[in-house]
Amino acid sequence: MRWAAVGIVGAMGLASLSQALAQSAPNLTPPRHGISMHGQPALPEGFDHFAYANPDAPKGGRLVEGLPGTFDSLNPLIVKGLAVQQIRGYVIESLMARGNDEPFALYGLLADTIETNDARDYVAFHLRPEAKFSDGHPVTAEDVLFSLDLLKTHGRPNHRLYYSKVTNAEALDQHTVRFELKGANDRELPLILGLMPILPKHAVDVATFEETSSAAPVGSGPYKVTEVKPGASVTLTRDAHYWGRDLAVNRGLWNFDEIRLDFYRDANTSFEAFKRGLYDFRVEIEPLRWHSGYDFAAVGNGQVIKETVADGAPQPSDFLVFNTRRDVFADVRVREALTLLFDFEWINANYFFDLYRRSPSYFAGSELSAYTLPESEREQSLLAPYASEVRPDIADGSFRLPISDATGRDRETLRHALRLFADAGYDLTGNVLRSRADGKPFTFEILVTTRDQERIALAYAAALKRAGIEPSVRLTDAVQFDQRRLAFDFDMIENRWDQSLSPGNEQYFYFGMKAAENQGTRNYMGVKSIAVDAMIAAMLETRERSDFVAAVRALDRLLMSGFYAIPVFNVPDQWIGRWTRIERPKKSSLIGHLLETWWRRP
């Protein structure tokens, strides 16, 4: 629809306007400095700085970051191209800034206040009059409306999806915008709009916006793009005239005068560059390298340190996913038996140096995980209509994943698995597990796309031979793998769901009944459960954090009870190698390390 922009509200100031609206509609709340998905923001109005930032951090110097791959675009807001993602945040700002010590809370950035009601069927933002783009133009309500319309029609799919829920948007004056959200039934939407990237109407060509470009974008953020070496590096320089440098949300952040992003196409070349000091830090993801690769001279003399940083967010977790649309995996007893036969202890010891952990929870390592915890009264109330779908041992918290003897030949788990197969109609005849009904061997295909996935799949296939099962392992290129995954054309794949501390509508996309029938969604296992959909709905309707946690844990119990995927491993900590010329705050945020809080040693 066409977005309306009305003139400045005469002599009525923002305070008078808000007062008039509040009098005419009692359910409105006055403008506030922040908003939380559940309850109230933890930090009061007038707070000084975030606890994970050092307000006395020195400014100056340069940070060099090494990144994998390459790039061909500086626009991270479109589908085309390989974009430099750091542009978002460093160069392009949003209306509000995330508080990273809370599950999902926002505080004023371009906007100094936010206003909504209990139903959250509208939201209004008041812009700071001092907010400016890097070319000196002020940030106005017109820029906000322009950004909404641009991203709704030309932006990434997630932007198009969320912003299309706005039924009307208007400028109440030069610095105030209001979005109507009636009918969206989405309590998260005001926060999603608060995180909307704001682009300058005067400096964006709508006709070419969706094309890749290496032109330096104009933003309102703390940095400007000052040099681009196509495919190789991008240099960001701190804007000496940055309008928001003294805001509480920025105090102790954006400390480097210059940040250079260097790209490396080869992982070994990248690590060798780090060892030579060509860039300043790396987040390690390879267990072998973390275990034995950091033995070079700079580590020995203290110039480079290894750090493990814990966080409270759900741990990145890999699963081997059953496609329950296939008859071979239709029986939950079969899926549980196959889960028992995955020898994590052997794989972790022989491949990963015992650096990984394992949990069946889809929110592992966080307060949202239900694993090992008994149901609360609130969970029992939510799950009462669906009690038969939650295993008793998962409900009371006594369920545990099997722990093998790490020999690769654990007999107890094998016996347990064969009992489950027998209950499901399969018998071990000679050295082959066969269907009792038709005598056919039990077999399936594991589809993989990387050598690491192949290595895990082959180890699992070797363990399954002890139960008379010989699955095939097929290695495909990334394009074919994605095509088959999106079309649900597979028996089993390895996949990772990255979860946050504030899961929302995306859970329908991951586990909802409608998503199970729609190719291109991430409900790869084919979950079709009224109970699962009911828990997602309950989660989205909650007002308080305690009720939200109960609803997510109830969802977690249903997913664990269904044995829809075999837990492969969880990454318990963030692994960081850092040259000591770069320093960081002693306190990490709830989500771990934040590069924007680091600084260069004077």
Side-chain angles (χ1 to χ4, degrees), residues 50 94-100 105-111 194-195 249-250:
F50 291 128
S94 52
L95 292 166
M96 307 192 80
R98 195 157 189 159
N100 290 299
L106 305 181
Y107 297 91
L109 182 56
L110 284 170
L195 292 175
V249 294
N250 287 327

Side-chain angles (χ1 to χ4, degrees), residues 408-448:
R409 303 188 63 81
D410 191 278
R411 294 183 178 182
E412 181 54 38
T413 53
L414 176 61
R415 283 194 289 266
H416 189 180
L418 290 175
R419 287 195 296 269
L420 288 168
F421 277 124
D423 292 342
Y426 296 91
D427 295 318
L428 184 60
T429 305
N431 294 322
V432 180
L433 187 71
R434 297 181 183 274
S435 168
R436 199 178 300 138
D438 57 20
K440 292 182 179 179
F442 183 94
T443 188
F444 59 93
E445 179 186 85
I446 307 175
L447 185 69
V448 299

Side-chain angles (χ1 to χ4, degrees), residues 323 325-326 444-449 472-493 519-521 523-524:
N323 186 352
R325 304 171 186 85
R326 302 291 170 91
F444 59 93
E445 179 186 85
I446 307 175
L447 185 69
V448 299
T449 188
S472 60
V473 177
R474 175 170 295 189
L475 177 66
T476 66
D477 61 64
V479 174
Q480 184 181 4
F481 181 85
D482 278 340
Q483 289 174 342
R484 291 187 59 181
R485 178 174 60 176
L486 293 173
F488 306 140
D489 180 21
F490 61 87
D491 295 336
M492 176 181 283
I493 58 169
Q519 293 184 2
T521 70
N523 188 347
Y524 302 126

